[in-house]
Amino acid sequence: MIFRAIFFSLLWTVSQVTAKSLTGSRLLVALEDADIKESYSKFFGDLESRGYTVDIQSPKNDKLSLFQHGERAYDHVIIFPPKAKAYGPALTPQKLVEFTSKDGNILLLTSPFGTPEQARELARELDIDLPPRDFLAVDHFNYDTVSASEKHDVILVQRPPPSKSAQNYFSGKEGDVIAFRGTGHTLGNRPLLFPVLPAARTAYTYDTKEDFAYAEEPWSAGTQMHYVTAVQLRNNARVVVSGSAEMFSNEFFDMEVQAPNGQATKTANQEFAKEITQWAFQESGVVKVIAVRHYLSNQTDAPINPNVYRVKNDITYEIELSEWATDKWIPFTVPPNDSLQLEYTMLDPYYRLPLLPSTITEDSTVYSTSFKAPDQHGIFAFRVNYKRPFVTYVDEKYTVTLRHFAHDEYTRSWDISAAWVWIAGIAVTIAGWVVFCMLWLYSAPTETSVKKTQ
Amino acid sequence: MSKSRPAASAGAASNSNNPLTILSALPARYLQTTPSRTKLIDAFLLFLIFTGAIQFLYCVLAGNYPFNAFLAGFTATVGQFVLTVSLRIQSNPENKSEFKAVSPERAFADYVFGSVLLHFFCINFIN
């Protein structure tokens, strides 16, 4: 129900603005140094061309506020690393968390030399551990030989390979390379964290202040380290944390890179920046439930969504799902190795059944399944609990009563030939009893005579 | 034969107290001394035992599906048996001292009421 309410509000905002994001077009860019703006012009140009009204403000600005009259003043925020040691009063972690709890989306960009404690606190709220100041990620096997042949700090990151069990919003083309200069971070066990760009096995983050030719004690290393991580909160607000702000700069968008043993290629940073902002700002991976229908399978004119079923009824359940693909609703497809499932639960699931696509319309897919209600009366719920990386959490629950057989709904005993003997048993007993009663009443005089003789 | 029952059950060592003699005398004595209404009850009880045995045997041989039908049929017979035995106890002239407040007419009325109730429930239950 809450989910549905969110979507109606989403649809309402969509009709208000022209942006491709479902939650709105007001984008705040917290950027302290106006000079830097020029070096990110392509990034901002991309966002403006997608319909965002980009409002670049210094976080030090006194009038800056994420909220106005208790509502969000912006729909999305991009936070650049500040020059100073803090963001200022408008972007405290508490205010940013409140912003996300009001469905605002955040893209948090950090850098090795400009990550304030506030950013670290916000990341900690999300169960992401950012390294201390001056910690830099390097990879001595996957670096750019053109721009960082000495320091190895421009890391060439492969896109995540297409997965059959998850949505692939960030897989890109094969051989795509993303140039990255920044820090890695580590993740906690929170299931809401979705790694976007994990580090290679040979990468590590170390303290640049240590004066060694090699790192004695890397802060984090290998695949436990991540460069870009996405978080989708329980209210479907999205936060993306990137260890590098530079990867979205013009310099990195246009960079020609060459791996130690590879060919020179152009970076895919611009496409990646587009994809990551599309996801973070609710342009992709947004799934909505259009309708939920359940009805009796073997009746042609069965009422839709009745409140009561009987045990052993044949029930069909359908759920219609749509996915927002940057500018239109398309049929939602479950990845091949994943399964959308229906649970028929009373405290525990009595059934957990795969929902299979039955009809595909222009903008939605109808997933359906049929089953026989269990032989157990009570209050049951149809529940679809589909929470997967990168897509809106779908949790639909409809409660119905499952009643037992009415007395006249059981098979009549005379319809079962095995029962005839016992029907005859009752009939004979009653007949015998009637005869007995009659004889008893007729034998009354004899009884009195017996009494008299005594 | 003409001796009273307490004497017969005393089991003294006389010839007439021989168990075999008692056994062989039992049917005749039953026919002679039992009131006709009690005999009628006994006949009905025998009939009920017979009916119940058939139903139970069928259940054992052919299976208990549908179980509610078996329960209804069998309990109708067994319940009728129990009620009839109660009637036998209450209407037996020898137990008159124990049921002073219950006349044979009253006993029979109770019996009819209980039986009709039993039949109603059994027919309802067999569905």
Side-chain angles (χ1 to χ4, degrees), chain B residues 51-114:
Chain B
T51 318
I54 288 178
Q55 291 183 58
F56 189 75
L57 203 66
Y58 177 78
C59 174
V60 169
L61 294 178
N64 62 10
Y65 174 81
F67 191 54
N68 67 312
F70 163 68
L71 285 180
F74 194 60
T75 42
T77 314
V78 172
Q80 192 66 67
F81 184 85
V82 171
L83 288 169
T84 314
V85 167
S86 309
L87 177 69
R88 190 183 192 277
I89 294 169
Q90 291 195 340
S91 64
N92 194 338
E94 285 184 25
N95 295 340
K96 217 172 165 55
S97 56
E98 283 201 47
F99 299 103
K100 281 181 187 124
V102 186
S103 66
E105 289 76 19
R106 168 72 198 277
F108 185 68
D110 285 352
Y111 170 72
V112 169
F113 177 72

Side-chain angles (χ1 to χ4, degrees), chain A residues 412-413 422 428 433 440, chain B residues 37 47 80 111 115 126-127:
Chain A
R412 290 297 189 177
S413 55
W422 295 305
V428 164
W433 175 77
W440 173 280
Chain B
R37 272 190 161 173
F47 166 76
Q80 192 66 67
Y111 170 72
S115 300
I126 202 169
N127 188 22

Side-chain angles (χ1 to χ4, degrees), chain A residues 9 52 135 221 224 263 283 303 339 370 421:
Chain A
S9 60
Y52 292 100
F135 276 49
Q224 66 170 336
Q263 289 177 324
E283 283 181 62
S339 172
S370 295
V421 168

Side-chain angles (χ1 to χ4, degrees), chain A residues 61-88:
Chain A
N61 187 346
D62 287 344
K63 286 176 187 151
L64 177 66
S65 173
L66 292 172
F67 307 99
Q68 193 176 22
H69 311 309
E71 290 293 322
R72 276 187 286 120
Y74 297 97
D75 303 307
H76 321 286
V77 176
I78 300 177
I79 302 170
F80 276 84
K83 276 178 153 181
K85 283 201 166 180
Y87 290 128

Side-chain angles (χ1 to χ4, degrees), chain A residues 377-435:
Chain A
H377 63 266
I379 306 298
F380 279 83
F382 295 100
R383 183 158 189 224
V384 174
N385 185 8
Y386 186 74
K387 289 174 181 154
R388 296 293 187 274
F390 305 123
V391 291
T392 312
Y393 303 129
V394 176
D395 190 353
E396 289 288 314
K397 192 172 173 186
Y398 279 82
T399 307
V400 292
T401 305
L402 195 63
R403 65 173 175 84
H404 46 65
F405 278 96
H407 194 69
D408 59 354
E409 281 175 327
Y410 289 100
T411 321
R412 290 297 189 177
S413 55
W414 55 82
D415 290 330
I416 306 166
S417 57
W420 290 349
V421 168
W422 295 305
I423 295 175
I426 292 182
V428 164
T429 305
I430 294 173
W433 175 77
V434 169
V435 172

Side-chain angles (χ1 to χ4, degrees), chain A residues 87-99:
Chain A
Y87 290 128
L91 299 175
T92 60
Q94 291 78 14
K95 287 203 169 131
L96 289 169
V97 166
E98 193 192 339
F99 181 70

